[in-house]
């Protein structure tokens, strides 16, 4: 039986215990971040779901009312649905449940951040490119065993600098170990910051200095 609730997804087996959960941006799909995942960690398993919301034909992970204005009820519902999928996929694919690292870009980074805040048991670490504060929970979770790396662009017209800074503070208030980096970049990723993030994602089985 497939993982339930199901998502269209790609799964690429790995040779280490780590799994990267790849979460695409608006208009992306389950194939988009596979090359990024492999670059970040050549040994990890990769699981990459496609967001179920369609905005003018573009897949997303949750509804928004306008650019940067999120439908919070839908965001909570979709975050729980995605978290349930990951828990079920971990059993289905025999993944090590406490070695799941989210790698999200833009809309995908925002739902990864929401998952850390609402379903903290799912993720061990997160690499969040171009993330915003998706929501502020009523009660902060205990993220003292979670490492978060936030990659922002200092010329990003979609995500103002205050957003990743607020997000870093929110995670620090929840006791997470947070690193925030501003790249000389717009909303798109640069090779240099992907190289930096590689050091973060790749612990144990990669040949790079590792931090998570
Ligand atoms: C996007 O275009 O995906 C936004 O920047 C982020 C979002 O809507 O979640």
């Amino acid at each position: 039986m497939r993982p339930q609730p199901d998502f269209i997804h790609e799964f690429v087996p790995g040779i280490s215990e780590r799994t990267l959960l790849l979460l695409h941006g608006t208009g992306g799909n389950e194939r988009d971040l596979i090359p990024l995942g492999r670059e970040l960690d050549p040994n990890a398993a990769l699981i990459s779901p496609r967001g179920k919301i369609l905005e003018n034909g573009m897949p997303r992970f949750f509804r928004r009312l306008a650019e940067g204005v999120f439908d919070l009820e839908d965001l909570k519902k979709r975050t729980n649905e995605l978290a349930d999928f990951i828990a079920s996929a971990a059993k289905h694919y025999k993944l090590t449940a406490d070695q799941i690292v989210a790698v999200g870009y833009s809309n995908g980074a925002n739902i990864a951040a929401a998952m850390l805040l609402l379903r903290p048991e799912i993720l061990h670490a997160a690499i969040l490119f171009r993330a915003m504060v998706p929501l502020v929970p009523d009660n902060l979770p205990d993220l003292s065993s979670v490492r978060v790396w936030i990659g922002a662009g200092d010329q990003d017209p979609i995500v103002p600098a205050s957003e990743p800074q607020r997000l870093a503070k929110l995670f620090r208030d929840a006791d997470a170990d947070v690193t925030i980096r501003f790249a000389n970049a717009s909303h798109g990723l640069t090779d240099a910051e992907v190289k930096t993030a590689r050091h973060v994602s790749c612990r144990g089985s990669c040949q790079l200095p590792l931090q998570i």
Side-chain angles (χ1 to χ4, degrees):
M1 198 170 97
R2 288 172 63 86
Q4 297 297 327
D6 206 1
F7 277 71
I8 295 169
H9 67 278
E10 289 271 312
F11 176 71
V12 185
I15 53 168
S16 77
E17 297 226 317
R18 187 173 315 106
T19 299
L20 301 188
L21 165 63
L22 305 174
L23 299 165
H24 64 78
T26 302
N29 65 40
E30 68 281 8
R31 293 182 298 276
D32 275 14
L33 299 189
I34 299 285
L36 173 67
R38 263 293 155 262
E39 189 174 345
L40 288 173
D41 188 334
N43 297 329
L46 307 175
I47 187 157
S48 184
R50 185 193 299 181
K52 290 187 178 182
I53 297 297
L54 279 182
E55 184 186 272
N56 302 322
M58 296 185 297
R60 287 177 52 85
F61 286 97
F62 58 88
R63 283 182 215 289
R64 63 180 165 182
L65 307 173
E67 177 80 55
V69 183
F70 303 143
D71 176 335
L72 292 182
E73 283 318 304
D74 188 65
L75 171 56
K76 287 178 200 161
K77 179 175 140 197
R78 300 290 169 185
T79 300
N80 280 310
E81 185 184 32
L82 184 62
D84 291 343
F85 164 71
I86 298 306
S88 166
K91 289 200 182 97
H92 181 80
Y93 292 116
K94 301 188 172 32
L95 308 176
T96 305
D98 62 359
Q99 289 286 324
I100 298 177
V101 178
V103 177
Y105 170 67
S106 192
N107 181 244
N110 292 342
I111 198 157
M115 213 186 309
L116 284 170
L117 294 166
L118 298 178
R119 295 287 298 272
E121 78 280 12
I122 300 290
L123 297 173
H124 162 70
I127 298 176
L128 307 176
F129 291 110
R130 310 298 184 266
M132 307 169 74
V133 176
L135 52 79
V136 178
D138 296 335
N139 299 303
L140 278 183
D142 174 4
L143 296 179
S144 52
S145 62
V146 173
R147 190 169 167 111
V148 182
W149 189 91
I150 299 173
D154 65 3
Q155 298 133 54
D156 188 336
I158 297 174
V159 180
S162 55
E163 279 296 315
Q165 280 161 347
R166 279 179 62 220
L167 188 61
K169 179 171 182 330
L170 192 59
F171 286 139
R172 283 189 183 123
D173 288 346
D175 282 340
D177 181 350
V178 182
T179 304
I180 178 167
R181 291 275 177 272
F182 278 87
N184 178 13
S186 179
H187 199 61
L189 298 186
T190 66
D191 288 345
E193 67 185 313
V194 170
K195 280 204 183 72
T196 311
R198 192 164 181 231
H199 290 251
V200 179
S201 64
C202 204
R203 190 179 65 178
S205 49
C206 303
Q207 287 147 11
L208 295 163
L210 302 161
Q211 293 160 29
I212 281 184

